[in-house]
Amino acid sequence: PGSIASLDVRIQKEKEVRRSVDYLETRPDIDRNKLAYLGVSQGSADGVIFVALEDRFKTAIFLDGGFFLSPTLPAMDQVNYAPRVKIPILMVNGRYDFSFSFDRAQEPMFRMLGTAAGDKRHIVLETPHDVSQDRPDLSRAVLAWLDKYLGKVN
C-alpha cells in the first residue's frame, strides 16, 4: 500500500470498471439507466473511489467494506473520494469484522459519504467479515434496495 505500483494497479482497476460499463451500454438487453455497483470487501472499499469517478451508476452496494487504515498516497485515499459520492449507497457490514472494524473503518466511511442522509443506509449484521453468513437478511436488504432505486424486476 502507498507505492506508485499500487497506484498504477488502482488506476487499471478503475479503467476496467469504466470498460465494463462501456460494454454493458452496448448490450440491447441491459438498461443503461439502471446500473448498480456492488462491491465485496476490497471491491467495496475500492468502490468508494470507483463510484466517485464513474457517474453512470445509479446506486451502489458496499458489502464487507470500509476505510483502509494504512497510510497511502492521496490519489488512493478513500477519504478524498467519499465526500464526492452522491448516489444512493447501501452499506452492509458485520459487527465483528476483523478487516474493517465498525468504529474505525465502517462508520467513518459511512459518515463521510456525500450522499444525502435519506439515500444512504448502513446495515450491521451479527456476522464477522463475511456478511453472506446471514444470507437471508443480506438478500432481503439488497433486493429491497435495488427495488427502491432501480425499480422492481418483472
Side-chain angles (χ1 to χ4, degrees), residues 35-37 51 57-61 87-90 145-146 149-150:
L35 295 179
Y37 177 89
V51 301
F57 293 114
K58 302 306 179 206
T59 187
I61 299 166
I87 62 173
I89 299 289
L90 172 65
W145 188 264
L146 292 173
Y149 287 98
L150 300 182

Side-chain angles (χ1 to χ4, degrees), residues 2-3 8 13 19 21 43 45 51-52 68 71 77-79 94 100 105 122 127-128 139 143-144 146 151 153:
S3 71
D8 289 342
K13 288 180 181 180
R19 286 183 188 122
V21 175
V51 301
F68 292 118
D77 194 339
Q78 301 151 290
V79 168
F100 296 103
H122 187 200
T127 66
S139 296
L143 292 174
L146 292 173
V153 176

Side-chain angles (χ1 to χ4, degrees), residues 9 12 16 24-25 30 34-35 39 65 72 101 126 132-133 135-136 139-140 143 148:
V9 169
Q12 284 305 115
E16 288 299 318
L24 291 172
E25 287 188 329
I30 302 292
K34 293 185 177 186
L35 295 179
T72 190
S101 70
E126 299 298 315
S132 72
Q133 289 184 19
R135 191 168 306 276
S139 296
R140 272 191 293 279
L143 292 174
K148 179 177 180 180

Side-chain angles (χ1 to χ4, degrees), residues 7-60:
L7 178 58
D8 289 342
V9 169
R10 181 70 54 81
I11 290 169
Q12 284 305 115
K13 288 180 181 180
E14 194 275 328
K15 286 179 180 178
E16 288 299 318
V17 169
R18 287 182 181 272
R19 286 183 188 122
S20 297
V21 175
D22 288 344
Y23 168 71
L24 291 172
E25 287 188 329
T26 69
R27 305 238 340 232
D29 59 326
I30 302 292
D31 186 343
R32 67 175 50 186
N33 296 312
K34 293 185 177 186
L35 295 179
Y37 177 89
L38 187 143
V40 179
S41 194
Q42 183 169 349
S44 173
D46 289 343
V48 173
I49 296 171
F50 300 153
V51 301
L53 297 173
E54 175 54 70
D55 63 359
R56 293 176 285 179
F57 293 114
K58 302 306 179 206
T59 187

